[in-house]
Amino acid sequence: FLGCTRDVAAANARATFDAPGLHWDWETTDGGERAYLPFLDQRYQVHNTPLLAHMILADFQATRDRAVLVEGYDLLAGAATFVLHAVLVERHGSLATRPLIGASETTTPVVNDGATVAACLRLLEDVALAARLLGREDALSRRCRAAAARLRPTLGKLFNGRYFQAASNDEGLGTSSLAPIYPAGVVAAT
């Protein structure tokens, strides 16, 4: 699916965010079309891109089939390029997400939606790991490793001692409260 819709993801990153890289739209069909018309605000929801890309590393971890990483690395790198250019911004000395539609799918953009932060963190760590495993460490993989280290404290600030709040400006529980544990897996359930 990711490989078959690569061209659409590249066009979507350019058209929606004026960014390089790959952005698989929210609710993308197997042909790459948007499946959520007329809810066009949802094109600014981005957590699906890094979570879809994570399937590449998850497949490798399950099978230990190096060919999966070889074939999928450029897709991982394309998704990371998009995230680094269009999603993450410098805020108060750390990395944060720009205002985007969160997992709650309301039309009001939020900063540091838990699903978006966790998914981006997972993707950045995946790219750094995949590059190391393939012996392909380069400027992008080093940038991903550094960005992941700077993004993790942002995720930590969403934890209020009992649960991850949905976003920086939303203290409630929601899908974004679960995302750091599953499906992003950047925080242990314990």
Side-chain angles (χ1 to χ4, degrees):
F1 168 79
L2 298 177
C4 291
T5 58
R6 176 191 189 117
D7 291 343
V8 174
N12 186 38
R14 283 190 309 276
T16 306
F17 290 92
D18 193 26
L22 304 173
H23 172 47
W24 288 275
D25 217 343
W26 178 80
E27 300 296 329
T28 302
T29 68
D30 61 359
E33 296 86 25
R34 290 180 170 143
Y36 56 85
L37 298 173
F39 305 106
L40 285 177
D41 287 337
Q42 298 306 324
R43 71 186 181 273
Y44 298 108
Q45 185 185 66
V46 300
H47 68 268
N48 285 336
T49 288
L51 289 177
L52 286 169
H54 174 61
M55 291 189 298
I56 296 164
L57 195 70
D59 186 4
F60 167 75
Q61 290 170 325
T63 64
R64 295 295 179 200
D65 182 353
R66 183 178 165 84
V68 168
L69 283 184
V70 170
E71 181 180 343
Y73 183 77
D74 289 339
L75 298 171
L76 280 169
T81 298
F82 167 74
V83 163
L84 290 166
H85 282 85
V87 178
L88 300 179
V89 294
E90 187 78 29
R91 185 172 284 126
H92 309 296
S94 63
L95 282 182
T97 69
R98 67 184 226 165
L100 294 161
I101 301 298
S104 66
E105 299 178 359
T106 63
T107 57
T108 304
V110 296
V111 173
N112 294 329
D113 170 69
T116 304
V117 173
C120 289
L121 179 58
R122 170 82 288 144
L123 173 64
L124 297 169
E125 290 176 348
D126 284 356
V127 171
L129 175 60
R132 186 174 54 78
L133 292 171
L134 293 172
R136 291 178 64 173
E137 291 178 288
D138 59 8
L140 176 63
S141 65
R142 288 187 291 279
R143 186 172 176 207
C144 287
R145 185 185 310 59
R150 294 186 62 222
L151 188 58
R152 190 165 283 279
T154 302
L155 180 65
K157 289 177 186 173
L158 293 177
F159 187 69
N160 66 13
R162 294 183 337 135
Y163 60 86
F164 286 92
Q165 62 189 53
S168 290
N169 55 344
D170 182 352
E171 295 178 8
L173 277 166
T175 302
S176 291
S177 302
L178 300 173
I181 298 165
Y182 183 82
V186 293
V187 174
T190 55

